Amino acid sequence: MTHTATEGADAEALRSRIAAELERTRARTALLTEVVDDADLMRQHSPLMSPLVWDLAHVGNQEELWLVRDVGGREPVRCDIDDLYDAFKQPRRDRPALPLLPPTEARAYLATVRDKVFDLLDRVAFDNRPLVADGFAFGMIVQHEQQHDETMLATHQLRSGPAVLQAPPPPEPTVRPAGEVLVPAGPFVMGTDTDPWALDNERPAHRVELPAYFIDAAPVTNGAYAEFIADGGYDDPRWWTEQGWRHRQEAELSAPLHWRRDGSGWAYRRFGHWSAVRDDEPVVHVCFHEAQAYATWAGKRLPTEAEWEKAARWDPATGRSRRYPWGDEEPTSAHANLGQRHLWPAPVGAYPAGASPLGVHQLIGDVWEWTSTSFRGHPGFVAFPYREYSEVFFGEDHQVLRGGSFGTDRAACRGTFRNWDYPIRRQIFSGFRCARDADLEQDHR
Ligand SMILES: [Fe+2]
């Protein structure tokens, strides 16, 4: 990868953009950690999650490691806590027992680190060193904090007690997306070489040839998913893989996480409030195995990751791949349900301005979408800036999810952005859409 230096007015513009992103992100972190009291911050709400105060200080510690020490070459703020906040050394279930910084101390630590970062941001030369070219390390730290903000949002969804988060409901639908969209056979460019803050696993751009396929024009809705439940989908091993069925039995799955029966229908607890499940919203809090079983029951399958990305980025008019389904411009509130602006997925048809050229809706935002692909490097992958960012997670254990959720910030979501998790996870904001092979003889008639 070759980089060019950013100088003069361009460097000043980059500096202001980085400063704005850092501050916008910190405001979200503050919101998520100030709406609950200190005891709540120190508590573990689920063995799957860290106490919120761990995420808080970990965000500051990563910022110190990468920006203050690596980019800035400065003395450590505190090196006594590096091990405590190392995600690889401390499994989540053990984190509440650690001698964590209490909330007041954690906040003071974050503020000290941030002061040093603003100081070095004023002086840093955006030369062609890979870590600073285009402000990459700053972008990586913004994305890292936003990712933890989404994780903290998922912790909020798991905590019991009175509701503390507020947001207006998402917009109402204005269109009815068609059932399925045909994506014609042919090549497209997957991944990117040019998006300056794209992470190592999104690179490099490479050509992928795909046969024709159909993909759902919208994510699978609660209404459709409830039909699968009503049809006995959870009790019929025909729809599940062997591994999925074993997990379904061991974990006693019978509906998405946070659902309960409500008369003849379902209710769904979101951030402390129970409300009736709405049929036209994308289903959320399902694991990969549930998604896979639904798809088989529906006579379809999950899309591969490449199929998802082609549906999201490929522009048939030009043959090029866009940054986002709607074009290259950054998401606005008209394009997608992102950034915790709302606290649940928007009904299908609420974001016509965000549709792809082929007419596929809500690929970005609302719910992370499970794909049938396990997490690997793109051909030509090079770990950067460290193997622990992506490479150590490559393999059969992790399934790829794409597109971001209502809790994903725009800084941590692009048409190329890749997320991964264990196939049993459903505390994340995960849903899916289905695909199927195109019957070429019929389609060509
Ligand atoms: Fe982290």
Side-chain angles (χ1 to χ4, degrees):
M1 217 168 14
T2 50
H3 294 285
T4 47
T6 308
E7 290 164 333
D10 289 347
E12 286 320 302
L14 180 55
R15 262 181 250 287
S16 342
R17 181 171 157 239
I18 290 169
E21 289 294 279
L22 285 168
E23 287 188 324
R24 187 175 68 80
T25 299
R26 186 53 51 87
R28 183 180 177 196
T29 305
L31 171 81
L32 286 161
T33 51
E34 283 168 8
V35 289
V36 289
D37 62 21
D38 283 8
D40 202 296
L41 284 175
M42 303 289 286
R43 190 174 304 139
Q44 188 174 43
H45 295 285
S46 153
L48 293 174
M49 310 306 271
S50 315
L52 291 168
V53 79
W54 186 92
D55 288 285
L56 183 64
H58 165 81
V59 154
N61 185 239
Q62 287 290 304
E63 185 167 319
E64 178 188 353
L65 289 171
W66 286 101
L67 299 183
V68 177
R69 296 192 213 168
D70 273 30
V71 172
R74 309 225 176 153
E75 287 301 303
V77 179
R78 315 185 46 150
C79 44
D80 57 318
I81 57 171
D82 290 354
D83 273 6
L84 278 181
Y85 297 104
D86 184 327
F88 288 91
K89 290 187 179 149
Q90 315 293 352
R92 282 184 180 179
R93 63 174 180 277
D94 300 340
R95 291 175 191 168
L98 299 171
L100 300 176
L101 299 186
T104 311
E105 222 179 305
R107 290 188 181 110
Y109 171 61
L110 260 72
T112 306
V113 171
R114 185 51 63 89
D115 281 349
K116 289 183 190 292
V117 166
F118 276 130
D119 185 62
L120 81 91
L121 179 60
D122 279 343
R123 298 151 200 257
V124 70
F126 296 115
D127 54 29
N128 60 3
R129 286 175 297 158
L131 205 54
V132 290
D134 301 316
F136 176 81
F138 295 91
M140 181 179 79
I141 285 301
V142 165
Q143 293 179 67
H144 177 258
E145 184 163 341
Q146 288 288 359
Q147 285 160 6
H148 277 274
D149 287 347
E150 181 166 357
T151 301
M152 290 198 277
L153 188 65
T155 304
H156 272 276
Q157 169 68 325
L158 289 163
R159 72 181 271 285
S160 46
V164 292
L165 293 172
Q166 316 284 341
E172 286 297 315
T174 54
V175 294
R176 279 173 164 275
E180 291 178 313
V181 169
L182 174 67
V183 183
F188 87 106
V189 174
M190 185 171 185
T192 177
D193 291 328
T194 52
D195 219 303
W197 288 2
L199 300 162
D200 60 359
N201 64 57
E202 298 167 66
R203 302 167 186 271
H206 58 289
R207 214 175 108 106
V208 176
E209 184 86 33
L210 292 176
Y213 60 97
F214 285 100
I215 191 162
D216 290 354
V220 169
T221 60
N222 288 329
Y225 198 82
E227 284 176 36
F228 166 68
I229 303 176
D231 195 44
Y234 275 90
D235 301 314
D236 193 335
R238 277 183 303 165
W239 313 133
W240 301 72
T241 61
E242 214 182 295
Q243 193 194 1
W245 182 248
R246 206 178 318 124
H247 177 66
R248 133 81 190 92
Q249 289 181 296
E250 280 166 15
E252 298 177 11
L253 303 181
S254 59
L257 185 63
H258 305 300
W259 282 32
R260 75 170 181 210
R261 290 273 181 199
D262 181 25
S264 58
W266 291 95
Y268 160 30
R269 190 177 60 82
R270 18 196 203 200
F271 302 100
H273 290 293
W274 282 99
S275 50
V277 161
R278 183 171 158 164
D279 279 352
D280 61 353
E281 281 173 17
V283 67
V284 62
H285 294 301
V286 289
C287 70
F288 169 78
H289 296 306
E290 291 169 298
Q292 186 279 322
Y294 173 95
T296 308
W297 169 82
K300 302 187 188 183
R301 57 176 173 78
L302 294 179
T304 64
E305 185 185 11
E307 286 173 339
W308 189 96
E309 189 167 323
K310 185 176 180 182
R313 299 183 60 212
W314 182 65
D315 178 356
T318 60
R320 67 179 278 277
S321 289
R322 301 169 160 197
R323 284 186 75 208
Y324 296 98
W326 55 85
D328 292 344
E329 69 271 29
E330 293 283 317
T332 66
S333 58
H335 291 125
N337 181 9
L338 287 167
Q340 204 182 311
R341 200 181 297 121
H342 312 292
L343 288 173
W344 52 85
V348 161
Y351 289 97
S356 76
L358 292 173
V360 186
H361 288 244
Q362 285 162 283
L363 288 147
I364 300 290
D366 296 300
V367 291
W368 285 105
E369 298 182 22
W370 289 108
T371 72
S372 62
T373 304
S374 52
F375 190 43
R376 305 267 179 201
H378 288 330
F381 169 83
V382 178
F384 178 76
Y386 59 138
R387 286 189 68 243
E388 285 71 21
Y389 187 78
S390 310
E391 196 178 2
V392 296
F393 299 100
F394 290 168
E396 295 296 317
D397 290 349
H398 295 97
Q399 284 311 121
V400 172
L401 300 110
R402 298 296 301 260
S405 77
F406 62 88
T408 309
D409 185 77
R410 62 177 152 81
C413 191
R414 295 167 284 280
T416 54
F417 192 89
R418 310 173 73 198
N419 188 7
W420 64 90
D421 216 325
Y422 293 118
I424 63 170
R425 288 291 183 251
R426 55 185 204 156
Q427 87 282 6
I428 54 176
F429 304 115
S430 49
F432 63 103
R433 75 180 69 218
C434 299
R436 63 186 172 92
D437 298 348
D439 180 340
L440 293 174
E441 282 187 17
Q442 265 194 6
D443 301 328
H444 284 179
R445 250 190 304 227

